[in-house]
């Protein structure tokens, strides 16, 4: 992998990740951009003990542009985008409309490919491995920022999820605090350790492997399963068999096997609802240990992949119980979801 660091016209960082070492990335950003102005603010909720990012400047962000004006495509044919070069493998840049900025954190955009009409599932194994390398490098670099407590890499796909740019891309949020979801996992892991003397994540993975009926894919270095208490109609958790805290600690064998496992999962997601259906909307979320939190050593890196579509043409809405009280009601039994995901294996 070759990494090239440069700047956009308004001073934001842009990083190219290339498979070939002989690629030169020296195209300048020729756009007359105004300096970035953000209003990101973190407010503490005294009742719930969590945090909310207030970012009013995001109201003006790019919203469903036509394909020939996509800001994530390469700059070519007279169109100037966030990527000055005429082609790229993987590109990462600071978001011009960040939810988090300055002391309130940092947001980056990860462009998986220059092909506007592709999806992550269309990538080759080599391309997916390069994205993994980029996620890992960004985690390592952002971990060095004193204000960053946790790095969250994720992908939203589909208009139903709320995606406003159709180009295949994900994001990275570098939070200045430990997120509520991670804090809950750390607390559960600490209680499990105190009660049993064992690691909670290890026990969960071992239980799923032993039960078998919710396992979707099992490789030598990764295992994917629908969790026992899945929140979403189709939800899969992907764990490395050797527990690590974050992407930086993955071994080479796990890195090598990851692309085939993950691409297979994504392709199965697109087959869940049958031929002729639109691509399955999903969220893919990397859960990494906070950098300085107590209990970090007991945390397990894993990826959670889920869709809000519950059946053909119908979505799972977060209504009264879910939104009002955070109690999920799942219409699809996890065992049935796992069986369906096993049925739709790639040919």
């Amino acid at each position: 992998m070759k990494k090239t660091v440069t700047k956009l016209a308004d001073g934001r960082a842009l990083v190219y990740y290339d498979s070939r070492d002989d690629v030169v990335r020296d195209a300048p950003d020729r756009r007359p951009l105004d300096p970035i102005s953000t209003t990101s603010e973190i407010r503490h909720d005294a009742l719930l003990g969590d945090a909310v990012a207030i970012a009013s400047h995001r109201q003006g962000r790019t919203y469903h542009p036509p394909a020939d004006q996509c800001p994530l495509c390469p700059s070519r044919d007279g169109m100037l985008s966030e990527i000055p070069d005429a082609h790229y493998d993987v590109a990462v840049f600071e978001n011009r409309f960040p939810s988090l900025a300055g002391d309130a954190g940092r947001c980056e955009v990860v462009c998986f490919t220059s092909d506007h009409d592709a999806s992550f599932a269309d990538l080759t194994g080599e391309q997916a491995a390069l994205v993994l390398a980029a996620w890992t490098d960004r985690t390592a670099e952002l971990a060095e920022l004193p204000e960053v407590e946790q790095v969250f890499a994720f992908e939203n796909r589909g208009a139903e999820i709320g995606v406003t740019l159709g180009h295949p891309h994900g994001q990275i949020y570098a939070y200045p605090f430990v997120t509520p979801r991670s804090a809950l996992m750390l607390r559960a892991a600490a209680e499990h350790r105190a009660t049993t003397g064992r690691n909670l994540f290890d026990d969960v993975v071992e239980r799923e492997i032993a039960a078998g009926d919710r396992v979707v894919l099992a490789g030598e270095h990764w295992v994917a399963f629908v969790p026992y208490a899945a929140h979403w109609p189709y939800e899969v958790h992907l764990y490395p068999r050797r527990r690590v805290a974050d992407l930086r600690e993955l071994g080479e064998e796990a890195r090598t096997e990851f692309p085939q496992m993950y691409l297979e999962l994504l392709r199965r997601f697109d087959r869940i609802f049958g031929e002729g259906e639109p691509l399955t909307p999903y969220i893919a979320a990397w859960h990494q240990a906070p950098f300085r939190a107590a209990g970090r050593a007991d945390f397990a890196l894993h990826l959670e992949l889920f869709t809000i579509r519950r059946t053909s043409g119908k979505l799972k809405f977060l209504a009264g119980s879910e939104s009002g009280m955070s109690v999920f009601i799942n219409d699809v039994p996890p065992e049935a979801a796992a069986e369906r995901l096993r049925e739709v294996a790639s040919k």
Side-chain angles (χ1 to χ4, degrees), residues 60-322:
R61 66 188 185 275
T62 308
Y63 187 80
H64 292 299
D68 61 356
Q69 297 176 33
C70 174
L72 307 185
C73 285
S75 292
R76 57 190 177 201
D77 301 326
M79 194 274 292
L80 301 179
S81 76
E82 293 279 59
I83 319 294
D85 216 319
H87 63 88
Y88 63 85
D89 289 347
V90 175
V92 180
F93 61 87
E94 288 183 78
N95 198 326
R96 185 167 173 80
F97 302 97
S99 301
L100 311 168
D103 292 339
R106 176 167 165 146
C107 292
E108 299 183 341
V109 178
V110 183
C111 299
F112 303 139
T113 171
S114 59
D115 184 353
H116 180 84
D117 297 317
S119 69
F120 202 118
D122 296 321
L123 300 183
T124 66
E126 181 182 20
Q127 289 174 306
L130 186 61
V131 176
L132 176 62
W135 281 330
T136 304
D137 181 74
R138 299 316 304 152
T139 297
E141 188 159 313
L142 292 169
E144 298 300 316
L145 299 179
E147 69 272 18
V148 173
E149 293 290 337
Q150 185 174 1
V151 168
F152 176 48
F154 63 100
E155 180 192 2
N156 299 329
R157 189 182 79 169
E160 300 94 329
I161 297 294
V163 174
T164 57
L165 296 175
H167 196 101
H169 73 288
Q171 300 181 67
I172 297 175
Y173 279 19
Y175 296 103
F177 52 82
V178 177
T179 62
R181 184 76 177 272
S182 297
L184 286 174
M185 291 186 198
L186 288 168
R187 187 178 70 189
E191 292 173 354
H192 189 81
R193 175 70 72 182
T195 302
T196 69
R198 298 191 303 272
N199 180 271
L200 173 61
F201 294 94
D202 291 348
D203 283 358
V204 166
V205 173
E206 289 172 9
R207 181 183 69 183
E208 294 294 353
I209 292 173
D213 56 345
R214 289 180 296 274
V215 173
V216 177
L217 282 173
E220 184 177 355
H221 303 286
W222 295 85
V223 62
F225 55 86
V226 178
Y228 172 77
H231 288 58
W232 299 95
Y234 291 91
E235 175 181 343
V236 176
H237 294 189
L238 178 62
Y239 278 80
R241 289 183 182 265
R242 183 180 71 83
R243 175 167 48 88
V244 296
D246 60 38
L247 287 166
R248 298 174 297 177
E249 298 178 7
L250 276 179
E252 285 307 310
E253 291 178 326
R255 292 183 184 281
T256 299
E257 188 179 74
F258 172 79
Q260 68 188 69
M261 292 284 290
Y262 187 47
L263 290 172
E264 176 64 19
L265 280 179
L266 293 180
R267 291 162 186 167
R268 291 191 189 194
F269 257 59
D270 281 338
R271 292 184 173 91
I272 296 173
F273 303 105
E275 297 295 329
E277 285 289 318
L279 292 178
T280 301
Y282 66 71
I283 293 175
W286 279 110
H287 290 264
Q288 305 195 78
F291 299 126
R292 289 171 284 276
R296 171 182 163 82
D298 260 348
F299 197 90
L301 167 76
H302 63 284
L303 184 144
E304 298 185 8
L305 173 68
F306 62 90
T307 179
I308 62 171
R309 187 180 292 164
R310 56 188 175 88
T311 189
S312 180
K314 297 179 181 178
L315 300 180
K316 164 66 177 176
F317 291 101
L318 300 189
S321 185
E322 292 90 352

